[in-house]
Amino acid sequence: MSKQPIPQNEKARLRALRNYEILDTLSEAEFDRITELASIICDVPISLITLIDEKRQWFKSAKGIAGTETPRDVAFCRYTIMDTAILEVEDATKDDRFKENEFVVNEPAIRFYAGYPLVDPQGHALGSLCVIDQKPKTLTAKQKKALELLAAEAISLIVERRQKEELRNFEKLFTLSNDLVFVGGIDGFFKKINPAFTKLFGWSEEHILNTSSFEFYHPDDIESTAKELQRLADGRSTINFLQRFKTSTGEYKTIEWTSTPETVSGHIFGIGRDVSDLILKEKQLATSEEKLRIFFQNSLGLMFTHDLKGKFLSINNAGAAVLGYTPAELMQMSLYDVSLPGFHTAVDEYLEKIQKDGTSQGQTSTQHKDGSLHIWMYNNFLENSTDGEPYVIVNGMDITKRYNLEKDLKRTTQMLEQTNQVARVGGWEYDVTKKKLYWSNVTKEIHGLNKDYDPDVDSGINFYADDETRHRIHNVFNLAISTGTPWNEERQMTTARGEKIWVRSIGNAEFENGECKRLYGTFQDINAYKLSELALKQSLETQEKLNDIMFEHIELIEQQDKTIEKIQEFKFLADSIPQIIWTANTDGIFNYYNKHWFDFTGLTFDDTIEKGWEPVLHPEGFKKHIKAWNESLRTGNPYQVEIQFKRATDGIYKWHLCRALPMKDDRGKVIKWFGSCTDIDEYKRALDLENRVSQFEDFNRIVAHNLRGPAGSIDMILDMIGDSESEDEKADYLKMLKQSSTTLITTLNDLMKVLEVRNNQNLPYDDCNLDELTGNVKKMLAGQIASKRAVINTDFSVPVMKFPKMYLESIFYNMISNSLKYNKADVAPEINITSAVTDGRVTLKFTDNGLGIDLKRHGAKIFKLNHTFHSGYDSKGVGLFMTKTQIETFGGNISVESEPGIGTTFTIVF
């Protein structure tokens, strides 16, 4: 037996054979007819269509022989596939290749063989169409030609069979694909679309096929689409073309198309996918990165990054300015260049520590370009860049001014007293134990008394103007002593000079061990403000009466015949009223304005009808007016809104109260609207003034309370130093002076934080990741958490919320640090933090198993500044006050539930 022949393209041939997926398939009549014809034409008993794989010869169709396959190494056809022409063996017993073949020696005793290779369009010989006889034989030329034609027909059937299978698979893919698959024309119409079109866009298949595709495109994409369609018409393909496609709901989906033209038929074949979410995410990412860059560059503090050798990598503009350099200069410098001479070792230690621990917090100093010293508080942490290189993020705060505060301590105290003098806000204090009343100099001045006047409670109450007021003040005074109830009273009093003035008295109680020890508060001259408020109130009441008269007259006119005379009377009355009067139809179209409208706005009637209120309305109030007016038109309810109109004479916006009532017929149907706009600008300014005065009172009350002790101690110690002749005593007194100074500085810093929160109501809202915030606070409190074996559990149903990040992190810090501080002895703290949405608002809860709070004793003052409720702890009473201030500044609220010995839950609603 000769060596088995192998075609040069065997691997490609076998791969092509497998791709046709015909091996081991069932018999098919089309192939059986070919072998039948071959047998008849060549006058032989055996005819085969064979396919040859790695190890066997498989029969797709067999005539005159049993079985479905033979080993490849005994197949005559293995020689046939080596060429593209017919292989004919007249007598196998005389052919060296086959004379020892088992099918020649044994049954079926092959003598004659003629085979034509089955060659596919790519030139792969897959097998053969062969005829076999048991006696020697030679085919005629016509028989050979017929065999060649039948072989061509067989390979055509194989190729066609695969094409049909591929078509069926494509139809399945076409139908089931989530991608958009289409056949279109250069005329802009779709010829065929898959179901993904109707699923994604909501239009029916019939609508899409019968509508020009340009009807679905975004107007801004029409021009680019037309150009792309022309490219396809020119025979060029389209790859990754972005286009917005309108859905049945009016929305637009961004589609990425890849298309290719068929120039012969003019058809366009294409596929598209919805990339709307991807485009949105890319825009959001770009926006987020831009916000981060803006925040970094515009931050008022020092923010920069450096590598582990101390070299600057980036720095914000404010930080560079504080150091005295430009950002470009600092990019060529390192930490060593801005540290003080002789402090390079400290920089080495810092770089070694942050590389080891990953974080570093503390205080350091730098040298300004001009040589001056700056002191910093910093909080740094180690990060890795996208390429894996470590770098350090630095966040620093310049605290140099704190040192200057120590030098200006006495002057600060004097300035605070002067501020009280200018604001006409005095302080007072009553020692309950000693029954002694103290007034500040400003309080005495408000009463018309000299600075050496020694007040008492009874004489102080007698300054009030009448018996009812004196009785009221006496009652709130005693109620505060017995229950701790604070008061805030605005009353008239008569000064020692006989002048009647309005004053505001604010009082608070201080308890120790359940007993009231002292009362304290402020006393303010509010005479000018109160007289303005009363005058404004009287003016508004008068205006309300005029309004009532006007609307009564309007109702009377509607009930009577609408004659020309009555209409003229109404117009005359409307033009006489010092406010804006207007009417509108049931569809909301305004059809009348009185003279005051045109005088105030400077608009003509035609201008008003054409443009409406928008030209003279403050931009922030236009949407509010439209929303309220549309709601009234829809429901028939009265219209009322406060908005600002621009006065034509000076361009100033003035607050107006706009109201309208519907006139209804006997069936309750609205037939007309009558409205007015009343100038309330002075009233709004008075309310704003009252709010500012109230905030100033709160701050001055805190100042009067918190600075009296340390400032008094400083004056007393200074006197003792002046009187002492002993150096040791003076040294002791200086230590005491330093302690009092430190206390006063700490108090000032706390008050500065209060002002900072109140003055930063316009901070931008950030996307705050609650897990990330919790992690940051854990790092800050890592020592306490580890030493107390604390467990912090989180369950954030709302993982990310909108809030100024610096404040939300402060809130988390105060809540967690309080739970750690006030834990029960020998009981590991367990802190649970949850987030959820309740009634459409984000809610945070902080729950612990600590000491708990006696709410009966402390509930009314739990969020007061400097109020503490556990003795023996280093507590200042600032944290909860700051937390409440931060939350309420941005429209939220905080509440507490607690039971002594059980634990505490703080609930924050944003």
Side-chain angles (χ1 to χ4, degrees):
M1 184 179 295
S2 60
K3 184 177 180 181
Q4 180 168 293
I6 301 295
Q8 290 184 350
N9 64 344
E10 178 69 359
K11 290 184 178 180
R13 189 192 70 80
L14 292 172
R15 185 165 54 251
L17 177 60
R18 286 191 291 270
N19 287 341
Y20 283 109
E21 297 182 356
I22 193 171
L23 290 173
D24 299 313
T25 58
L26 298 175
S27 62
E28 297 177 54
E30 296 92 333
F31 293 96
D32 290 342
R33 283 195 290 270
I34 290 175
T35 54
E36 183 76 24
L37 281 172
S39 177
I40 294 171
I41 291 170
C42 296
D43 190 24
V44 294
I46 301 172
S47 177
L48 302 171
I49 294 177
T50 69
L51 298 169
I52 299 177
D53 63 14
E54 295 94 331
K55 296 181 180 180
R56 60 174 178 157
Q57 171 184 249
W58 180 78
F59 306 150
K60 174 60 183 171
S61 178
K63 166 68 176 174
I65 193 172
T68 60
E69 62 182 49
T70 69
R72 177 173 177 171
D73 56 6
V74 297
F76 280 55
C77 295
R78 74 185 190 275
Y79 287 96
T80 307
I81 64 174
M82 295 297 293
D83 200 351
T84 58
I86 190 170
L87 172 64
E88 185 176 23
V89 179
E90 296 179 7
D91 187 349
T93 61
K94 298 178 181 180
D95 192 310
D96 292 338
R97 295 171 293 178
F98 307 112
K99 62 185 180 180
E100 295 179 2
N101 188 292
E102 63 178 276
F103 294 127
V104 174
V105 176
N106 303 316
E107 289 296 328
I110 297 174
R111 294 296 180 266
F112 171 75
Y113 169 89
Y116 206 92
L118 302 179
V119 181
D120 74 358
Q122 285 72 43
H124 303 119
L126 309 178
S128 74
L129 170 63
C130 64
V131 291
I132 298 171
D133 203 342
Q134 294 164 327
K135 57 186 178 180
K137 185 180 181 70
T138 301
L139 295 180
T140 67
K142 289 184 178 181
Q143 287 176 323
K144 290 179 180 179
K145 184 60 179 178
L147 190 64
E148 178 183 357
L149 293 175
L150 289 174
E153 183 64 23
I155 193 64
S156 296
L157 284 176
I158 292 174
V159 173
E160 182 182 347
R161 182 183 182 280
R162 179 57 187 159
Q163 289 174 341
K164 289 180 179 179
E165 186 64 28
E166 288 178 347
L167 181 60
R168 283 193 294 272
N169 291 335
F170 176 77
E171 287 294 338
K172 291 180 182 178
L173 178 64
F174 185 83
T175 303
L176 300 176
S177 175
N178 289 325
D179 287 335
L180 304 168
V181 184
F182 74 90
V183 178
I186 59 174
D187 58 355
F189 280 83
F190 291 106
K191 309 301 181 184
K192 185 175 183 180
I193 59 174
N194 70 331
F197 272 79
T198 59
K199 181 179 178 181
L200 179 61
F201 300 127
W203 304 107
S204 68
E205 180 179 3
E206 180 182 5
H207 179 72
I208 295 175
L209 293 178
N210 292 308
T211 304
S212 172
S213 60
F214 283 87
E215 296 294 326
F216 300 108
Y217 303 150
H218 192 282
D220 294 342
D221 295 343
I222 296 294
E223 184 177 351
S224 61
T225 301
K227 291 180 180 178
E228 204 65 27
L229 192 59
Q230 184 59 49
R231 282 172 51 86
L232 290 166
D234 295 339
R236 290 178 290 176
S237 296
T238 291
I239 299 175
N240 300 334
F241 175 63
L242 292 178
Q243 179 191 76
R244 287 166 288 181
F245 199 104
K246 185 166 65 176
T247 68
S248 60
T249 62
E251 296 180 281
Y252 283 92
K253 297 284 188 180
T254 301
I255 308 300
E256 183 179 67
W257 297 105
T258 296
S259 305
T260 185
E262 186 180 66
T263 54
V264 176
S265 65
H267 289 163
I268 298 172
F269 298 89
I271 187 168
R273 64 188 181 101
D274 182 7
V275 295
S276 304
D277 292 340
L278 180 61
I279 296 297
L280 178 61
K281 289 178 181 178
E282 289 177 351
K283 290 182 179 179
Q284 289 174 339
L285 179 59
T287 301
S288 177
E289 290 176 347
E290 179 63 14
K291 287 181 179 179
L292 182 61
R293 186 192 66 79
I294 293 173
F295 173 76
F296 178 81
Q297 287 298 335
N298 294 283
S299 174
L300 297 180
L302 173 67
M303 296 184 69
F304 67 90
T305 59
H306 66 77
D307 62 19
L308 293 181
K309 293 182 179 180
K311 186 179 185 304
F312 286 99
L313 300 176
S314 65
I315 187 167
N316 66 335
N317 294 329
V322 173
L323 292 173
Y325 298 91
T326 65
E329 289 174 325
L330 286 168
M331 290 303 97
Q332 307 301 318
M333 301 168 63
S334 71
L335 297 180
Y336 297 98
D337 298 316
V338 296
S339 64
L340 297 176
F343 277 75
H344 287 190
T345 303
V347 176
D348 292 336
E349 293 174 352
Y350 155 73
L351 292 174
E352 181 179 348
K353 180 181 184 302
I354 199 163
Q355 185 173 7
K356 177 183 177 182
D357 299 340
T359 61
S360 181
Q361 303 89 26
Q363 179 176 309
T364 188
S365 56
T366 61
Q367 188 173 36
H368 192 273
K369 188 176 183 179
D370 62 10
S372 60
L373 175 70
H374 280 257
I375 311 298
W376 300 89
M377 290 289 292
Y378 67 88
N379 181 22
N380 304 349
F381 55 93
L382 186 67
E383 283 289 344
N384 287 316
S385 64
T386 54
D387 58 4
E389 287 296 322
Y391 68 97
V392 179
I393 299 176
V394 178
N395 185 13
M397 180 176 66
D398 189 350
I399 61 170
T400 309
K401 291 183 180 179
R402 293 188 183 181
Y403 288 82
N404 297 329
L405 285 174
E406 294 182 11
K407 300 177 183 179
D408 298 334
L409 179 61
K410 210 159 191 177
R411 176 170 174 77
T412 301
T413 304
Q414 294 172 352
M415 291 176 63
L416 288 171
E417 292 176 352
Q418 292 169 359
T419 301
N420 290 342
Q421 182 76 25
V422 173
R424 300 281 287 168
V425 179
W428 62 268
E429 181 177 346
Y430 178 69
D431 190 327
V432 178
T433 304
K434 297 180 180 179
K435 300 188 182 303
K436 178 63 178 176
L437 179 65
Y438 302 91
W439 281 357
S440 69
N441 290 336
V442 177
T443 302
K444 294 176 182 179
E445 181 180 331
I446 294 173
H447 283 80
L449 301 168
N450 296 325
K451 293 182 180 180
D452 58 355
Y453 178 78
D454 188 16
D456 60 73
V457 175
D458 291 335
S459 62
I461 293 177
N462 286 334
F463 278 94
Y464 286 96
D466 53 66
D467 290 338
E468 179 183 352
T469 301
R470 287 190 286 271
H471 182 69
R472 171 64 181 171
I473 297 299
H474 187 272
N475 285 343
V476 298
F477 189 90
N478 290 331
L479 184 63
I481 294 176
S482 59
T483 66
T485 304
W487 77 81
N488 185 340
E489 295 286 333
E490 293 182 4
R491 300 287 176 173
Q492 267 193 316
M493 62 164 281
T494 304
T495 68
R497 301 186 185 93
E499 300 174 351
K500 279 194 174 183
I501 62 171
W502 281 91
V503 295
R504 176 182 282 120
S505 173
I506 296 176
N508 292 277
E510 183 175 284
F511 278 71
E512 290 182 9
N513 300 322
E515 182 179 358
C516 182
K517 292 297 184 181
R518 73 182 184 108
L519 300 179
Y520 64 93
T522 59
F523 198 85
Q524 184 181 11
D525 180 355
I526 61 169
N527 195 55
Y529 158 74
K530 194 67 179 180
L531 291 178
S532 298
E533 181 188 41
L534 293 174
L536 180 61
K537 183 178 180 182
Q538 183 178 4
S539 174
L540 290 174
E541 290 175 351
T542 302
Q543 190 67 60
E544 288 291 331
K545 291 178 181 178
L546 287 173
N547 290 345
D548 293 339
I549 293 172
M550 181 197 72
F551 284 113
E552 289 175 2
H553 196 74
I554 291 172
E555 183 178 355
L556 179 62
I557 290 174
E558 289 296 329
Q559 292 173 355
Q560 298 173 352
D561 293 334
K562 295 182 179 179
T563 62
I564 297 298
E565 291 79 9
K566 291 300 181 181
I567 293 174
Q568 292 299 325
E569 287 180 11
F570 167 73
K571 290 183 177 180
F572 178 79
L573 175 63
D575 288 340
S576 302
I577 294 175
Q579 65 182 31
I580 297 168
I581 303 298
W582 50 269
T583 64
N585 296 330
T586 56
D587 58 3
I589 301 299
F590 297 90
N591 55 14
Y592 169 76
Y593 293 89
N594 70 337
K595 182 175 180 295
H596 191 65
W597 166 265
F598 305 113
D599 292 342
F600 186 89
T601 64
L603 297 174
T604 65
F605 182 79
D606 291 339
D607 290 339
T608 304
I609 296 302
E610 179 183 353
K611 302 176 182 178
W613 290 7
E614 186 173 6
V616 293
L617 259 183
H618 193 283
E620 295 180 359
F622 184 69
K623 290 183 179 180
K624 182 166 64 173
H625 152 68
I626 291 297
K627 181 179 179 181
W629 181 231
N630 288 338
E631 180 66 15
S632 295
L633 292 175
R634 185 181 66 82
T635 62
N637 294 330
Y639 160 80
Q640 179 168 320
V641 67
E642 292 183 4
I643 49 181
Q644 291 175 284
F645 286 115
K646 182 166 66 176
R647 189 166 58 193
T649 56
D650 52 14
I652 295 176
Y653 286 96
K654 293 288 186 178
W655 281 102
H656 283 72
L657 173 62
C658 296
R659 295 183 294 186
L661 293 174
M663 174 183 288
K664 301 181 179 180
D665 58 18
D666 295 339
R667 295 172 296 176
K669 182 180 180 181
V670 176
I671 59 176
K672 201 172 187 64
W673 288 87
F674 290 84
S676 68
C677 299
T678 305
D679 188 338
I680 59 168
D681 198 69
E682 290 188 5
Y683 173 70
K684 295 286 284 187
R685 295 180 186 276
L687 290 180
D688 182 63
L689 175 62
E690 180 181 13
N691 182 55
R692 292 175 181 272
V693 169
S694 176
Q695 291 184 0
F696 194 75
E697 290 168 1
D698 290 343
F699 182 68
N700 277 281
R701 183 176 72 251
I702 295 169
V703 170
H705 169 252
N706 288 14
L707 296 186
R708 179 179 299 279
S713 297
I714 290 173
D715 286 338
M716 184 181 298
I717 294 170
L718 289 173
D719 291 339
M720 293 169 67
I721 291 174
D723 295 339
S724 175
E725 297 179 357
S726 168
E727 291 302 323
D728 291 339
E729 282 187 351
K730 288 183 177 180
D732 291 338
Y733 291 150
L734 285 173
K735 291 181 180 178
M736 296 169 61
L737 180 62
K738 179 61 177 178
Q739 293 174 351
S740 296
S741 173
T742 301
T743 301
L744 184 54
I745 290 169
T746 301
T747 302
L748 284 171
N749 287 336
D750 291 341
L751 293 174
M752 287 169 66
K753 292 179 182 177
V754 174
L755 287 177
E756 180 184 354
V757 173
R758 289 182 173 174
N759 292 330
N760 281 277
Q761 298 183 16
N762 294 322
L763 281 176
Y765 280 63
D766 303 305
D767 290 324
C768 298
N769 187 298
L770 301 187
D771 280 321
E772 182 179 307
L773 279 180
T774 305
N776 291 343
V777 174
K778 283 183 178 180
K779 291 177 181 178
M780 298 180 196
L781 300 171
Q784 297 180 43
I785 293 171
S787 63
K788 297 192 176 187
R789 303 188 307 280
V791 177
I792 300 178
N793 303 312
T794 61
D795 182 11
F796 294 137
S797 297
V798 180
V800 177
M801 63 174 285
K802 289 281 189 181
F803 202 78
K805 187 175 182 180
M806 61 179 290
Y807 285 163
L808 191 58
E809 187 170 279
S810 173
I811 292 168
F812 268 66
Y813 182 90
N814 283 325
M815 292 289 100
I816 296 174
S817 61
N818 277 352
S819 295
L820 294 172
K821 181 184 294 183
Y822 303 116
N823 70 303
K824 289 182 286 191
D826 301 325
V827 176
E830 183 175 345
I831 305 168
N832 295 304
I833 312 172
T834 64
S835 69
V837 175
T838 305
D839 297 330
R841 301 177 69 177
V842 177
T843 302
L844 289 179
K845 285 193 177 184
F846 294 82
T847 302
D848 62 42
N849 60 342
L851 295 174
I853 304 168
D854 187 348
L855 295 181
K856 292 182 179 179
R857 290 183 56 195
H858 303 288
K861 300 180 181 179
I862 193 168
F863 296 107
K864 295 289 185 180
L865 185 63
N866 293 336
H867 183 77
T868 60
F869 30 85
H870 293 299
S871 59
Y873 292 86
D874 181 19
S875 304
K876 300 178 182 177
V878 175
L880 287 179
F881 174 79
M882 288 294 298
T883 296
K884 184 173 186 291
T885 303
Q886 290 167 336
I887 294 168
E888 292 182 348
T889 296
F890 294 93
N893 62 77
I894 182 171
S895 59
V896 59
E897 300 175 36
S898 186
E899 188 173 342
I902 302 300
T904 304
T905 296
F906 286 95
T907 301
I908 304 171
V909 180
F910 292 90

